[in-house]
Amino acid sequence: MASKQLFVILATVLVGFPAVAMATEYVVGDESGWTILYDYQAWAKDKQFFVGDKLVFKYPVGGHNVFKVNGTGFKECIVPPANEALTTGNDVITLATPGNKWYICGVGKHCAYGGQKLSITVLVEWSAPAPAPLASTQHGPMRLMRLMRSWFLNIVH
């Protein structure tokens, strides 16, 4: 009986747990931040980005900026109009839709010669791949809650 009550409580918490609370915040480049001569593709390689997650671009104000671009803009380092730049040095982008996302620095030749560009794929939360073993702490407790919620919803549907 107690296990059934625990299951009901857990199920209620998991189903009602807001997606926003489960979002993961990624500081792009970790301790290095948003800078030149950093391998952002290697940084993103083992990460899974989901709708609702946030990217935080940290850099010295005036030294860099962030532009969201399309695939061609990413490949060719085409800088959009200046009024589209994010310039606070602590720019937070919430990943609102699934799909490919591309970001570049528009200062000088930072994108073309400094490699200051990031390409990621954002996944829909419910289509996440099978969870890693629970021993992994790569994505932290919020990712574990997301995986548990996904598992539960698959059972009840």
Side-chain angles (χ1 to χ4, degrees), residues 40-68:
Y40 290 101
Q41 294 322 108
W43 173 82
K45 179 182 163 199
D46 295 325
K47 293 174 176 58
Q48 287 186 324
F49 301 95
F50 293 91
V51 170
D53 287 349
K54 296 178 184 203
L55 298 178
V56 181
F57 292 83
K58 293 187 176 209
Y59 55 90
V61 175
H64 303 289
N65 57 30
V66 181
F67 284 95
K68 183 176 180 183

Side-chain angles (χ1 to χ4, degrees), residues 4 13 16 26 31 35 38 42 54 61 65-66 68 72 85 97-98 104 109 113-114 118-120 126 141 145:
K4 184 177 181 181
V13 169
Y26 295 96
E31 297 82 27
T35 188
Y38 185 90
K54 296 178 184 203
V61 175
N65 57 30
V66 181
K68 183 176 180 183
T72 302
T97 59
I104 66 171
K109 299 288 183 184
Y113 298 126
L118 171 67
S119 173
I120 64 170
W126 311 118
M145 289 297 291

Side-chain angles (χ1 to χ4, degrees), residues 20 25 32-33 38 40 49 52 59 72 77 80 82 96 98 108-109 113 121-122 124 134 143 153 155:
V20 172
E25 188 172 278
S32 297
Y38 185 90
Y40 290 101
F49 301 95
Y59 55 90
T72 302
C77 291
K109 299 288 183 184
Y113 298 126
T121 300
V122 178
V124 176
L134 291 180
R143 191 65 73 184
L153 290 173
I155 288 175

Side-chain angles (χ1 to χ4, degrees), residues 69-132:
V69 296
N70 61 23
T72 302
F74 176 82
K75 183 178 176 185
E76 299 177 13
C77 291
I78 300 170
V79 179
N83 66 344
E84 295 179 25
L86 302 176
T87 60
T88 69
N90 191 42
D91 303 317
V92 179
I93 297 174
T94 300
L95 303 173
T97 59
N100 296 322
K101 309 295 178 194
W102 300 276
Y103 305 95
I104 66 171
C105 179
V107 173
K109 299 288 183 184
H110 291 192
C111 177
Y113 298 126
Q116 195 171 359
K117 56 187 188 175
L118 171 67
S119 173
I120 64 170
T121 300
V122 178
L123 304 172
V124 176
E125 183 173 349
W126 311 118
S127 65

